[in-house]
Amino acid sequence: DAMVIQNPRYQVTQFGKPVTLSCSQTLNHNVMYWYQQKSSQAPKLLFHYYDKDFNNEADTPDNFQSRRPNTSFCFLDIRSPGLGDAAMYLCATSSYSRTGRRQGYTFGSGTRLTVV
Amino acid sequence: AQSVTQPDIHITVSEGASLELRCNYSYGATPYLFWYVQSPGQGLQLLLKYFSGDTLVQGIKGFEAEFKRSQSSFNLRKPSVHWSDAAEYFCAVDSGAGSYQLTFGKGTKLSVIP
């Protein structure tokens, strides 16, 4: 089945040690998103790629970066994780045409990041 | 700015009772509307979506939602709740105005009493 896969499901990292989360998709969707979700809160958009175009939300900390080497893969890099970055990170995809025609959104199962 | 409001933070219902979760949005045009469910520690699962057409939308797990333009609402309903429905429910909106992103409500936590 076509899907969005996030690895790993659980990630423990040390305070200040760079960490990378990965997302892959078999849907061939042109838009990929990274959301941060803290406990008992709604998902918060960090950034998204429309094809190769990177779009950063204004309030996303500089500590967070992203890479999309090809259509199928997208990575979230946290350069120096702090305790406040502990959260569930959700990857999502969608398909849009330039005329605005769109498909729905598909989410991965998430990666739960713990910072120790 | 676009916004999504879920006025109920936490709802408790008895198993077998009916359920309605409220969602209101503020946009100028008709947005694309979604309901997601999230179990603890899990990702988001799409229950249903509304893009256009019939304003009563059927989803998975026996859920339905009705889009009411005059009230800017997209409430989620289920006629008979099961204990396995206990989870967090999120309403989300894509404004359809070239934003290419979802805006989520703050969620409603559903507890089910046996």
Side-chain angles (χ1 to χ4, degrees), chain B:
Chain B
Q2 56 194 35
S3 67
V4 181
T5 302
Q6 294 181 246
D8 303 307
I9 297 174
H10 190 185
I11 286 181
T12 300
V13 299
S14 298
E15 191 169 16
S18 62
L19 172 70
E20 182 170 31
L21 303 182
R22 296 182 290 166
C23 174
N24 294 92
Y25 62 89
S26 64
Y27 293 92
T30 300
Y32 300 89
L33 300 160
F34 305 82
W35 274 100
Y36 288 89
V37 61
Q38 186 178 38
S39 297
Q42 301 298 312
L44 295 168
Q45 182 181 21
L46 179 68
L47 285 175
L48 46 77
K49 62 186 178 185
Y50 174 78
F51 281 13
S52 65
D54 191 345
T55 56
L56 184 62
V57 181
Q58 301 298 320
I60 62 171
K61 303 185 179 186
F63 286 92
E64 67 177 25
E66 185 171 13
F67 168 60
K68 293 185 177 180
R69 184 192 305 273
S70 61
Q71 298 177 19
S72 296
S73 69
F74 188 56
N75 294 347
L76 182 71
R77 301 193 294 247
K78 186 170 184 177
S80 178
V81 170
H82 189 263
W83 64 266
S84 61
D85 294 324
E88 187 96 25
Y89 291 80
F90 292 97
C91 179
V93 176
D94 175 342
S95 68
S99 67
Y100 310 118
Q101 61 182 264
L102 282 178
T103 299
F104 284 88
K106 292 186 176 181
T108 298
K109 182 177 181 179
L110 174 66
S111 297
V112 180
I113 300 173

Side-chain angles (χ1 to χ4, degrees), chain A residues 21-97:
Chain A
L21 310 181
S22 72
C23 177
S24 64
Q25 56 138 335
T26 58
L27 298 158
N28 202 33
H29 283 173
N30 59 341
V31 190
M32 294 188 76
Y33 308 81
W34 280 104
Y35 284 84
Q36 179 192 62
Q37 186 182 24
K38 296 188 176 181
S39 182
S40 301
Q41 296 185 21
K44 178 181 178 298
L45 183 65
L46 295 174
F47 25 59
H48 72 276
Y49 276 92
Y50 188 114
D51 294 325
K52 295 181 180 180
D53 296 332
F54 177 70
N55 298 272
N56 198 33
E57 293 301 296
D59 57 355
T60 297
D62 293 339
N63 197 28
F64 291 85
Q65 304 288 324
S66 185
R67 296 171 283 132
R68 190 180 186 185
N70 53 53
T71 300
S72 301
F73 286 87
C74 195
F75 299 98
L76 170 62
D77 301 308
I78 308 177
R79 292 191 295 188
S80 182
L83 296 179
D85 296 328
M88 172 78 87
Y89 289 88
L90 297 165
C91 175
T93 71
S94 189
S95 178
Y96 288 86
S97 70

